[in-house]
Amino acid sequence: MATRLLAVLLMMTLVTACQSRGLEGTSPELPREAAGPGLAEVLEDPNMVLLTAAEVRRYFTGNTVYWEPLREPEKLYAAYYDPSGERRVRERGAMTVEVGRWRFEGESFCQGDPKSGAESCGSLVAGPDDVLAFCSEAQGCAWLVIGLNEGNSLSL
């Protein structure tokens, strides 16, 4: 299953790289059921590595991260991770920015949905070709990081 996820992640990254990158809407609601394979399954693949909280902090703090839901690759969200713990999110094509929070609980990366306030905590795993996936207990590995820009590149 981990090999299948890696193949899907790589394919989706290539497809997305070919699409234009305007941003719309608001951050998504978190579904109750798992949308992707579990973290343990993904880590069975020796090419996938669990990132530490320090590594995630270094990548995300003060930068803009582009997220894509694994089950809805047509959607794209940009999120700016302010060092204060504020997370500003905009969906492709949208004019509005929604504000939520982000933090760490031990080694777990946590972020709140701006609409519902629901918080999702989990881990990020890295694979070949700079593939990053967010894995939570509730959703499995359901979100891909498909890009990262230094700073608040979209003025979110």
Side-chain angles (χ1 to χ4, degrees):
M1 183 67 172
T3 305
R4 183 176 159 274
L5 171 68
L6 183 58
V8 169
L9 294 175
L10 291 171
M11 181 181 72
M12 292 174 71
T13 302
L14 291 173
V15 168
T16 305
C18 297
Q19 296 173 343
S20 110
R21 297 260 198 273
L23 292 171
E24 35 186 293
T26 58
S27 77
E29 292 297 321
L30 302 174
R32 296 271 182 229
E33 69 219 30
L39 178 61
E41 260 182 288
V42 170
L43 290 175
E44 288 175 9
D45 184 327
N47 295 311
M48 300 301 284
V49 178
L50 186 64
L51 296 180
T52 66
E55 290 170 315
V56 176
R57 260 189 205 93
R58 188 172 60 246
Y59 292 140
F60 284 19
T61 304
N63 293 319
T64 302
V65 177
Y66 297 89
W67 292 94
E68 181 180 276
L70 187 60
R71 300 249 172 152
E72 299 176 275
E74 71 282 358
K75 292 190 176 186
L76 177 68
Y77 300 87
Y80 173 68
Y81 291 86
D82 191 276
S84 70
E86 185 176 82
R87 179 176 74 116
R88 297 188 290 274
V89 180
R90 190 170 69 196
E91 187 178 352
R92 176 187 353 228
M95 300 303 287
T96 59
V97 173
E98 296 199 354
V99 178
R101 306 287 305 160
W102 71 286
R103 66 185 181 86
F104 288 89
E105 186 172 295
E107 286 294 309
S108 291
F109 171 70
C110 302
Q111 50 188 353
D113 182 285
K115 283 184 173 180
S116 68
E119 185 176 66
S120 179
C121 295
S123 301
L124 278 111
V125 293
D129 299 322
D130 298 322
V131 170
L132 288 177
F134 176 70
C135 307
S136 68
E137 191 173 311
Q139 294 184 312
C141 298
W143 288 87
L144 300 177
V145 173
I146 60 166
L148 186 140
N149 287 350
E150 288 186 21
N152 190 357
S153 58
L154 297 173
S155 300
L156 297 174

